[in-house]
Amino acid sequence: MTLAIVTTRAALGLEAPEVRVEVHLANGLPGITLVGLPETAVRESRERVRSALLNANFEFPTTRRITLNLAPADLPKEGGRFDLPIALGILAASGQLPADALSGVESLGELALDGRLCPVGGVLPAALAAKQAGRRLILPRENAAEAALVQGLEVLPAAHLLEVAAHLWGREPLTPQPTSRPVPGHLEVADLAEVRGQHQARRALEVAAAGGHNLLFVGPPGSGKTMLASRLPGILPPLEEAEALELAAIRSVAGQPLLAGWGLRPFRAPHHTASAAALVGGGSSPRPGEVSLAHQGVLFLDELPEFSRSVLEVLRQPLESGWVDLARARVTRRYPSHFQLVAAMNPCPCGHLGDPRRDCHCTSGQVQRYQSRLSGPLLDRIDLQVEVPALPADQLTATTAEEGSARVRERVVAARARQRARGGLNASLSVSALEAACGLSAADRAWLAQSLERLRLSARAYHRVLRVALTLADLVGLERPGRDQLLEAIGYRQLERLLGRQ
């Protein structure tokens, strides 16, 4: 046989489209032609495959003209993941492997010059796609544990090209990798009971956890803003299996450990010197950024105004849509970014604007420049805006036991169960589903309209108020929010007062 076709997978972000490696041997001037939009590392596979075949004591058809086509031709191909399928295609086309043994099998892996299989990145999306296609997957042994996270996929790990050939001949079948069920990680996080006082901030933290809302803490230095934010993971429910697998796929593409903190919601806290590309992702072959690594978890931005305004503005689209679309000249990548934004800031550069204990030494111009780094559209997307004042000494030294994270988590889990029955977290409900769930009376609608008009809040803020009010109702087991919940929700939207503006 002079024509062989081997199935493999490309790596395009979280997508793993099918690639057919077509190998044709023909008479003519000896040589290898590789077509199908390969980039540099793929073109170099010709030399790696040649050396691997020869060093594994296979015959390389040096007297034939070899044409390698990676189809579809308009799909970009990157990396060394195509080495193994190219080698198998050459062996099948030259009669050194049975061509029918490649039916129902996908393969990927980089070849060393001696024929060893080397691991590649982004295996989990390829494994998910192989399972959906109903095929087995042959891959390097170092990648087997990652692929085995996909339930129902037959994973065949190998350490050398000779092992793959022996398997396809039926002489020494590869041992399937057992399906992996990772042990959920243990969250080492401080307890909410350690936070003294700050009852309004604690309440807002619980509301944010229950409804998936974005949250902003405003207060002087040392008032406990970062301490509060770091306790949020301790009151969030663990990830479901499908969510954990999706997050693992993102980490696989980003080249990060998959099983660290398995089943736990991520808590990402980039430094304020982070670039826009670090936050949303980037590069010539776009990789996930912090907003995608925080998918299904929390993105904490401390000292919010210290971030560049241009960096903060890139958060607007993922906050609204839950996706990041990274477009480059030749490729476009889409990564999920359903995260909760939790931010902390001082009201002014010195941090003591409105602080009764210490005087503020900032000029009005300095305060205005500091606060203007945060645009109105960005702040409009933050549902809960809460003051965290400096604690009086008697509250700071009090020995009264505060409510712990475990008790708060019980209420959060119960509230989220009500939301799942409704169709999703309140923070991400569609407008029509939100208004149907709230079911405000005509009197409450009129009262709410007057309140929003008086506070000069936007149409987006109106729906944000409804979302928070619905979460407040879920926390106490009410079917619909009432006037008390609407009033409390409006109270979380008064950033002008928190920043000391008149």
Side-chain angles (χ1 to χ4, degrees), residues 449-480:
Q450 292 176 1
S451 300
L452 296 178
E453 181 68 25
R454 187 166 56 253
L455 294 173
R456 294 177 294 179
L457 297 179
S458 67
R460 182 186 289 114
Y462 163 71
H463 291 113
R464 299 280 177 178
V465 167
L466 288 184
R467 295 180 194 280
V468 174
L470 188 57
T471 300
L472 293 169
D474 288 334
L475 282 170
V476 294
L478 294 177
E479 186 68 24
R480 303 182 187 279

Short mmCIF file of all heavy atoms in Angstrom, two decimals, residues 449-480:
data_model
loop_
_atom_site.label_atom_id
_atom_site.label_comp_id
_atom_site.label_asym_id
_atom_site.label_seq_id
_atom_site.Cartn_x
_atom_site.Cartn_y
_atom_site.Cartn_z
N ALA A 449 -38.04 52.45 40.46
CA ALA A 449 -37.73 53.41 39.40
C ALA A 449 -37.40 54.78 39.99
O ALA A 449 -36.45 55.45 39.55
CB ALA A 449 -38.89 53.50 38.43
N GLN A 450 -38.18 55.20 40.97
CA GLN A 450 -37.92 56.51 41.61
C GLN A 450 -36.57 56.50 42.33
O GLN A 450 -35.82 57.48 42.27
CB GLN A 450 -39.04 56.83 42.60
CG GLN A 450 -40.39 57.10 41.94
CD GLN A 450 -41.50 57.31 42.97
OE1 GLN A 450 -41.25 57.27 44.18
NE2 GLN A 450 -42.72 57.52 42.48
N SER A 451 -36.27 55.41 43.00
CA SER A 451 -35.00 55.32 43.72
C SER A 451 -33.81 55.37 42.76
O SER A 451 -32.82 56.07 43.01
CB SER A 451 -34.95 54.02 44.54
OG SER A 451 -36.01 53.97 45.47
N LEU A 452 -33.90 54.64 41.65
CA LEU A 452 -32.81 54.63 40.69
C LEU A 452 -32.64 55.99 40.04
O LEU A 452 -31.53 56.44 39.75
CB LEU A 452 -33.06 53.55 39.64
CG LEU A 452 -33.07 52.10 40.14
CD1 LEU A 452 -33.37 51.15 39.00
CD2 LEU A 452 -31.75 51.74 40.80
N GLU A 453 -33.77 56.68 39.78
CA GLU A 453 -33.71 58.00 39.17
C GLU A 453 -33.05 59.00 40.13
O GLU A 453 -32.23 59.83 39.73
CB GLU A 453 -35.12 58.47 38.82
CG GLU A 453 -35.19 59.83 38.16
CD GLU A 453 -34.57 59.82 36.77
OE1 GLU A 453 -34.53 58.75 36.13
OE2 GLU A 453 -34.13 60.90 36.33
N ARG A 454 -33.38 58.89 41.39
CA ARG A 454 -32.82 59.79 42.39
C ARG A 454 -31.32 59.56 42.56
O ARG A 454 -30.55 60.52 42.75
CB ARG A 454 -33.53 59.60 43.73
CG ARG A 454 -33.13 60.61 44.80
CD ARG A 454 -34.09 60.59 45.98
NE ARG A 454 -34.21 59.27 46.58
CZ ARG A 454 -35.27 58.47 46.46
NH1 ARG A 454 -36.31 58.87 45.73
NH2 ARG A 454 -35.30 57.29 47.05
N LEU A 455 -30.90 58.30 42.47
CA LEU A 455 -29.48 57.97 42.61
C LEU A 455 -28.72 58.04 41.30
O LEU A 455 -27.51 57.81 41.27
CB LEU A 455 -29.34 56.57 43.21
CG LEU A 455 -29.85 56.39 44.64
CD1 LEU A 455 -29.83 54.93 45.04
CD2 LEU A 455 -29.02 57.22 45.61
N ARG A 456 -29.42 58.34 40.19
CA ARG A 456 -28.83 58.47 38.86
C ARG A 456 -28.06 57.21 38.46
O ARG A 456 -26.92 57.27 37.99
CB ARG A 456 -27.92 59.70 38.80
CG ARG A 456 -28.67 61.03 38.96
CD ARG A 456 -27.72 62.20 38.96
NE ARG A 456 -26.86 62.19 40.13
CZ ARG A 456 -25.91 63.09 40.37
NH1 ARG A 456 -25.70 64.08 39.51
NH2 ARG A 456 -25.16 63.01 41.44
N LEU A 457 -28.73 56.07 38.64
CA LEU A 457 -28.12 54.80 38.28
C LEU A 457 -28.53 54.41 36.86
O LEU A 457 -29.61 54.76 36.39
CB LEU A 457 -28.54 53.70 39.26
CG LEU A 457 -28.08 53.91 40.72
CD1 LEU A 457 -28.56 52.78 41.60
CD2 LEU A 457 -26.56 54.02 40.78
N SER A 458 -27.67 53.65 36.18
CA SER A 458 -27.90 53.29 34.79
C SER A 458 -28.86 52.11 34.66
O SER A 458 -29.24 51.47 35.65
CB SER A 458 -26.57 52.91 34.13
OG SER A 458 -26.07 51.71 34.71
N ALA A 459 -29.22 51.80 33.40
CA ALA A 459 -30.08 50.64 33.15
C ALA A 459 -29.38 49.36 33.57
O ALA A 459 -30.01 48.42 34.08
CB ALA A 459 -30.45 50.59 31.67
N ARG A 460 -28.05 49.29 33.35
CA ARG A 460 -27.31 48.11 33.79
C ARG A 460 -27.37 47.99 35.31
O ARG A 460 -27.53 46.89 35.85
CB ARG A 460 -25.85 48.19 33.33
CG ARG A 460 -25.04 46.96 33.73
CD ARG A 460 -23.56 47.07 33.41
NE ARG A 460 -23.32 46.98 31.98
CZ ARG A 460 -22.85 47.98 31.25
NH1 ARG A 460 -22.60 49.16 31.82
NH2 ARG A 460 -22.65 47.83 29.96
N ALA A 461 -27.25 49.12 36.00
CA ALA A 461 -27.31 49.09 37.46
C ALA A 461 -28.68 48.61 37.94
O ALA A 461 -28.79 47.94 38.98
CB ALA A 461 -27.01 50.47 38.03
N TYR A 462 -29.74 48.94 37.20
CA TYR A 462 -31.09 48.47 37.56
C TYR A 462 -31.13 46.95 37.61
O TYR A 462 -31.63 46.36 38.58
CB TYR A 462 -32.10 49.02 36.55
CG TYR A 462 -33.43 48.31 36.55
CD1 TYR A 462 -34.32 48.46 37.61
CD2 TYR A 462 -33.81 47.49 35.50
CE1 TYR A 462 -35.54 47.80 37.62
CE2 TYR A 462 -35.02 46.83 35.48
CZ TYR A 462 -35.88 47.00 36.54
OH TYR A 462 -37.09 46.35 36.55
N HIS A 463 -30.59 46.32 36.58
CA HIS A 463 -30.60 44.86 36.57
C HIS A 463 -29.64 44.28 37.60
O HIS A 463 -29.89 43.20 38.16
CB HIS A 463 -30.26 44.34 35.17
CG HIS A 463 -31.33 44.62 34.15
ND1 HIS A 463 -31.16 45.49 33.10
CD2 HIS A 463 -32.60 44.17 34.07
CE1 HIS A 463 -32.27 45.54 32.38
NE2 HIS A 463 -33.16 44.75 32.94
N ARG A 464 -28.56 44.99 37.88
CA ARG A 464 -27.65 44.53 38.93
C ARG A 464 -28.34 44.56 40.29
O ARG A 464 -28.15 43.67 41.12
CB ARG A 464 -26.39 45.40 38.96
CG ARG A 464 -25.58 45.38 37.67
CD ARG A 464 -24.73 44.17 37.56
NE ARG A 464 -24.01 44.12 36.30
CZ ARG A 464 -23.16 43.17 35.94
NH1 ARG A 464 -22.91 42.19 36.77
NH2 ARG A 464 -22.57 43.18 34.77
N VAL A 465 -29.12 45.58 40.52
CA VAL A 465 -29.87 45.67 41.78
C VAL A 465 -30.85 44.50 41.89
O VAL A 465 -30.98 43.87 42.95
CB VAL A 465 -30.61 47.02 41.87
CG1 VAL A 465 -31.64 47.00 43.00
CG2 VAL A 465 -29.62 48.16 42.09
N LEU A 466 -31.53 44.18 40.79
CA LEU A 466 -32.47 43.06 40.82
C LEU A 466 -31.74 41.75 41.11
O LEU A 466 -32.25 40.90 41.86
CB LEU A 466 -33.20 42.96 39.48
CG LEU A 466 -34.25 44.03 39.17
CD1 LEU A 466 -34.94 43.71 37.85
CD2 LEU A 466 -35.27 44.13 40.29
N ARG A 467 -30.56 41.56 40.52
CA ARG A 467 -29.81 40.32 40.74
C ARG A 467 -29.43 40.16 42.21
O ARG A 467 -29.57 39.08 42.80
CB ARG A 467 -28.56 40.30 39.87
CG ARG A 467 -28.85 40.25 38.37
CD ARG A 467 -27.56 40.24 37.56
NE ARG A 467 -27.82 40.53 36.16
CZ ARG A 467 -28.28 39.66 35.28
NH1 ARG A 467 -28.52 38.42 35.67
NH2 ARG A 467 -28.49 40.01 34.02
N VAL A 468 -28.94 41.25 42.81
CA VAL A 468 -28.54 41.18 44.22
C VAL A 468 -29.76 40.96 45.11
O VAL A 468 -29.72 40.17 46.06
CB VAL A 468 -27.79 42.46 44.62
CG1 VAL A 468 -27.50 42.47 46.12
CG2 VAL A 468 -26.48 42.57 43.84
N ALA A 469 -30.87 41.65 44.81
CA ALA A 469 -32.10 41.48 45.60
C ALA A 469 -32.59 40.05 45.53
O ALA A 469 -33.06 39.48 46.54
CB ALA A 469 -33.17 42.45 45.11
N LEU A 470 -32.49 39.43 44.36
CA LEU A 470 -32.93 38.04 44.22
C LEU A 470 -32.03 37.11 45.04
O LEU A 470 -32.51 36.15 45.66
CB LEU A 470 -32.90 37.65 42.75
CG LEU A 470 -33.49 36.29 42.38
CD1 LEU A 470 -34.94 36.18 42.84
CD2 LEU A 470 -33.40 36.05 40.87
N THR A 471 -30.73 37.39 45.08
CA THR A 471 -29.83 36.59 45.91
C THR A 471 -30.14 36.76 47.39
O THR A 471 -30.11 35.78 48.16
CB THR A 471 -28.36 36.98 45.64
OG1 THR A 471 -28.06 36.75 44.26
CG2 THR A 471 -27.41 36.18 46.51
N LEU A 472 -30.44 37.98 47.80
CA LEU A 472 -30.82 38.21 49.20
C LEU A 472 -32.07 37.42 49.56
O LEU A 472 -32.19 36.88 50.67
CB LEU A 472 -31.05 39.71 49.43
CG LEU A 472 -29.80 40.59 49.33
CD1 LEU A 472 -30.19 42.07 49.31
CD2 LEU A 472 -28.86 40.31 50.50
N ALA A 473 -33.01 37.33 48.62
CA ALA A 473 -34.21 36.53 48.86
C ALA A 473 -33.88 35.04 48.95
O ALA A 473 -34.42 34.32 49.80
CB ALA A 473 -35.23 36.78 47.76
N ASP A 474 -32.96 34.59 48.09
CA ASP A 474 -32.56 33.17 48.13
C ASP A 474 -31.91 32.81 49.46
O ASP A 474 -32.08 31.69 49.95
CB ASP A 474 -31.59 32.88 46.98
CG ASP A 474 -32.27 32.88 45.62
OD1 ASP A 474 -33.48 32.62 45.57
OD2 ASP A 474 -31.59 33.18 44.62
N LEU A 475 -31.15 33.73 50.03
CA LEU A 475 -30.46 33.44 51.28
C LEU A 475 -31.42 33.23 52.45
O LEU A 475 -31.08 32.52 53.41
CB LEU A 475 -29.47 34.57 51.61
CG LEU A 475 -28.15 34.56 50.84
CD1 LEU A 475 -27.38 35.84 51.05
CD2 LEU A 475 -27.30 33.36 51.24
N VAL A 476 -32.58 33.86 52.38
CA VAL A 476 -33.55 33.69 53.49
C VAL A 476 -34.72 32.81 53.07
O VAL A 476 -35.70 32.68 53.81
CB VAL A 476 -34.05 35.06 53.97
CG1 VAL A 476 -32.93 35.85 54.62
CG2 VAL A 476 -34.67 35.87 52.82
N GLY A 477 -34.66 32.21 51.88
CA GLY A 477 -35.68 31.27 51.46
C GLY A 477 -36.96 31.88 50.94
O GLY A 477 -38.00 31.20 50.91
N LEU A 478 -36.91 33.15 50.51
CA LEU A 478 -38.10 33.79 49.96
C LEU A 478 -38.25 33.44 48.48
O LEU A 478 -37.25 33.31 47.75
CB LEU A 478 -38.03 35.31 50.12
CG LEU A 478 -38.07 35.84 51.56
CD1 LEU A 478 -37.93 37.36 51.55
CD2 LEU A 478 -39.37 35.44 52.25
N GLU A 479 -39.49 33.35 48.02
CA GLU A 479 -39.74 33.04 46.61
C GLU A 479 -39.37 34.21 45.73
O GLU A 479 -38.82 34.02 44.64
CB GLU A 479 -41.23 32.69 46.43
CG GLU A 479 -41.58 32.20 45.03
CD GLU A 479 -40.98 30.84 44.72
OE1 GLU A 479 -40.68 30.08 45.67
OE2 GLU A 479 -40.78 30.55 43.52
N ARG A 480 -39.65 35.43 46.19
CA ARG A 480 -39.37 36.63 45.41
C ARG A 480 -38.83 37.72 46.33
O ARG A 480 -39.18 37.75 47.52
CB ARG A 480 -40.62 37.14 44.69
CG ARG A 480 -41.26 36.10 43.78
CD ARG A 480 -42.47 36.67 43.04
NE ARG A 480 -43.17 35.63 42.30
CZ ARG A 480 -42.80 35.19 41.10
NH1 ARG A 480 -41.74 35.71 40.54
NH2 ARG A 480 -43.48 34.24 40.48
#
